[in-house]
Amino acid sequence: MLLRHRTTLQHLLVANPIIMASKHFLPTLKPSFNNKFDKINVFCNIPINSNVKKIGSLSIKPSSGSGSDSLSFSTHASIPRPVSDVYLEKPDDQLVDSPNLKLLKLKLEEIGIACGSCKPGQTYGLLCPMCKGGDSGEKKLSLFIAEDGNEAAWSCFRAKCGWKGITRGAADAKSSYKMMSKVTRVKKVKGLIERDLNLEPLCPDLVEYFSERMISEETLRRNSVMQRRYGNQIVIAFTYRRKGDLISCKYRDLAKKFWQESDTEKILYGLDDIEGASDVIIVEGEMDKLAMEEAGFRNCVSVPDGAPPCVSAKGVPSQEEDVKYQYLWNCKEYLEKASRIILATDGDEPGKALAEELARRLGRERCWRVTWPTKNEEENFKDANEVLMFMGPAVLREVIESAELYPIKGLFNFRDYFGEIDAYYHQKFLAELGVSTGWKAMDDLYNVVPGELTIVTGVPNSGKSEWIDALLVNLNESVGWKFALCSMENRVREHARKLLEKRMKKPFFDVRYGKSVERMTVEDLEVGKKWLSDTFHLIRCENDCLPSINWVLNLAKAAVLRHGVNGLVIDPYNELDHQRPPNQTETEYVSQMLTSIKRFAQHHSCHVWFVAHPKQLQQWTGKPPNLYDISGSAHFINKCDNGIVVHRNRDPEEGAMDQVQICVRKVRNKVSGTIGDAILRYDRVTGQYMDVK
């Protein structure tokens, strides 16, 4: 196995950073940048003649005034990067491709993988046809060909790609882009020998470079931050260690370009610092890890591969398939002992995505997150090192100590609602106290609150639907509410007549019930039609099928979002399709149904009136029924917010025949009312309900 390196050389350059003015910057801590790194002298132990030497296209000249062995470089060549290991065959190790292998290679070439002289039983590092190796052209595609030459599996180990798949030569007609099998996913991990990397202590110029970023020489020494020469280029070397042993090495030039030793085990940077720690801080980069130490936190590690562009839409894969975050699995024994993990990733969108991916794998219940302080009116500081540079170690420490619990979907704290609670206290949402029904007799008993469920019942022909219609008319006149109507016992024209009579206060017809009162005019009708169109939206099943409760709620949701309705009427329960699973009782079904209705009401701040008939009453005495008499289940009274019985007097000896008793039998929220009875007078001609004078 031979490790090949490109011989291109580049002088180490760094641009002068632009520092934005901010009221939050501390003058005493503001770093001073200079042009020291515009030209770095690299000292070599090789004799240099006065003549110009050429290495490739790079000119090397003696630097004036620097001595005979001082060199200066100027080039725009690309940064050298280690190339993935490849298997090389000996000249006498030639094999004749089998028919299956030839077919396999043809299929790989169709996909875009040029495998050339690849042989069975080997793993090759190739250029990925999907990502093209990124800007640096890294050969990160690992291709494995099975011993029989009939199957190939590949995976790109470049963090931002991850393309993988398998294919066969003879049996399959097409390639498969599914997950590779665990058998064929073979990736050899090489060990590093420190002396072979030719690492050196940091030169004074690099020590000063870190110093300008508020990172001390002591911190650099403790974390074994070193340098390496690639020809005449010096780069920073971050050594990844476990129990003191070198596991991997990551390089960085001063232009913030990174690369790593290929085919090494991925672990967290600074792993030994969190051994046995109950609190662990995870940051996005090595510089942030060093910055944390300057603020007094050694129990900090950095991820090796940076942040993803966004959160994956898929679930967390298995350990074998979780290539991008394999370092978490490799460090599992260190992380599983931590009871509190602070995610201090960058404040940009990739940094937030990294925090979410880490929380998904480490467990949100033990994760905390930081909020970086504001830089100016439009932006926050990006990461730990930036906070250290411009605001100092004390502020960075305060940020970490102020970390908040990582949000868990469905789990909240009252402080998340303090704004809403304050608004409720100051009565900014008057409807939350309940909207008056329009009848003084009911003001102390029942007021309509958005997001609640009211169950209405009563014996047949007691006026349940008529009373609800009258209530809707009152609410529209007083506060302008709009409504969705799922009234399955009424034909549209009949329901329109009832609503118009209550709104216009005139009978629709002048025959029978209305012959003694002036009928509404054509002009009244046109005005009423516009009012109907603006106020009500109908939910109707036009075919022979009965609507289900989910069908009704889905249409009601559309009415809320599209038309801004404030109330929903479902009238009645027994006209819905109640097909339930064979193993579910009616009680269980009713409970589930009412839960769905309440969730809809609460989520959309929409009041729901649900009409349910009582069961057949044996030996009925003419008294109002009880809510427990509703056919189906006691859950009707158990789960509703308000329970109302509408009862019309049928006995002349008991009182006037136009009297209607509104029995409020349940009020969950004492702010909106209480249990009691109200007497209203019903006008049969116009369908109005009025207070008894």
Side-chain angles (χ1 to χ4, degrees), residues 525-544:
L525 177 61
E526 293 303 317
V527 172
K529 284 162 58 179
K530 185 179 186 308
W531 172 75
L532 286 175
S533 178
D534 294 341
T535 307
F536 300 98
H537 300 275
L538 306 179
I539 297 175
R540 300 188 66 84
C541 193
E542 294 298 332
N543 54 31
D544 294 334

Side-chain angles (χ1 to χ4, degrees), residues 365-423:
E365 67 280 356
R366 59 175 179 152
C367 288
W368 298 59
R369 66 177 180 182
V370 302
T371 300
W372 300 115
T374 55
K375 179 185 296 185
N376 51 49
E377 293 181 356
E378 298 180 355
E379 58 182 335
N380 290 27
F381 286 103
K382 180 175 176 288
D383 53 33
N385 188 224
E386 198 172 66
V387 173
L388 176 68
M389 290 167 61
F390 298 116
M391 302 194 76
V395 174
L396 178 55
R397 185 171 189 87
E398 182 181 350
V399 169
I400 300 303
E401 291 175 345
S402 302
E404 299 178 344
L405 287 165
Y406 197 87
I408 298 177
K409 187 176 181 180
L411 184 61
F412 304 95
N413 187 279
F414 267 113
R415 65 173 171 268
D416 300 324
Y417 298 91
F418 280 169
E420 183 179 334
I421 294 171
D422 289 342

Side-chain angles (χ1 to χ4, degrees), residues 1 19 34 36 48 80 85 103 138 170 226 268 362 431 576:
M1 182 184 299
I19 306 302
N34 52 41
K36 179 176 289 294
I48 303 297
D85 294 352
L103 184 58
E138 295 176 295
M226 307 184 79
L268 294 162
L362 299 173
L576 294 172

Side-chain angles (χ1 to χ4, degrees), residues 469-518:
D469 285 347
L471 173 60
L472 303 187
V473 172
N474 289 351
L475 292 173
N476 175 258
E477 289 181 343
S478 61
V479 291
W481 277 21
K482 299 179 180 180
F483 308 95
L485 304 177
C486 181
S487 183
M488 292 158 283
E489 288 186 334
N490 282 313
R491 288 188 291 184
V492 173
R493 60 179 181 268
E494 292 179 353
H495 203 174
R497 171 183 61 78
K498 295 176 182 179
L499 291 168
L500 286 173
E501 288 177 340
K502 293 173 175 60
R503 176 67 173 83
M504 307 308 296
K505 300 177 176 59
K506 295 179 181 180
F508 195 81
F509 297 116
D510 57 2
V511 296
R512 299 185 180 90
Y513 73 93
K515 62 184 178 181
S516 60
V517 180
E518 181 183 357

Side-chain angles (χ1 to χ4, degrees), residues 27-46:
T28 58
L29 297 173
K30 180 177 180 180
S32 60
F33 292 89
N34 52 41
N35 295 327
K36 179 176 289 294
F37 294 101
D38 283 348
K39 183 175 289 186
I40 294 181
N41 292 327
V42 181
F43 299 94
C44 303
N45 293 324
I46 56 175

Side-chain angles (χ1 to χ4, degrees), residues 122-138:
Q122 302 279 6
T123 300
Y124 297 88
L126 306 174
L127 186 67
C128 176
M130 287 295 175
C131 66
K132 308 298 182 184
D135 296 336
S136 59
E138 295 176 295

Side-chain angles (χ1 to χ4, degrees), residues 642-684:
N642 309 285
I644 292 177
V645 178
V646 178
H647 184 66
R648 181 178 299 172
N649 180 34
R650 301 166 190 268
D651 187 355
E653 296 182 0
E654 294 292 332
M657 295 294 289
D658 61 353
Q659 285 188 359
V660 178
Q661 186 177 356
I662 309 298
C663 310
V664 180
R665 291 293 177 257
K666 179 181 180 181
V667 176
R668 189 189 302 276
N669 182 4
K670 68 180 182 180
V671 174
S672 62
T674 187
I675 295 173
D677 292 355
I679 303 298
L680 300 178
R681 185 173 66 84
Y682 174 66
D683 183 356
R684 185 169 181 270

Side-chain angles (χ1 to χ4, degrees), residues 609-670:
W609 292 271
F610 195 10
V611 179
H613 295 314
K615 59 190 174 182
Q616 290 185 352
L617 302 176
Q618 303 295 331
Q619 298 179 347
W620 179 51
T621 61
K623 299 296 183 181
N626 195 291
L627 288 175
Y628 285 108
D629 293 326
I630 297 176
S631 178
S633 170
H635 281 302
F636 280 106
I637 187 173
N638 295 337
K639 290 212 166 188
C640 69
D641 297 296
N642 309 285
I644 292 177
V645 178
V646 178
H647 184 66
R648 181 178 299 172
N649 180 34
R650 301 166 190 268
D651 187 355
E653 296 182 0
E654 294 292 332
M657 295 294 289
D658 61 353
Q659 285 188 359
V660 178
Q661 186 177 356
I662 309 298
C663 310
V664 180
R665 291 293 177 257
K666 179 181 180 181
V667 176
R668 189 189 302 276
N669 182 4
K670 68 180 182 180

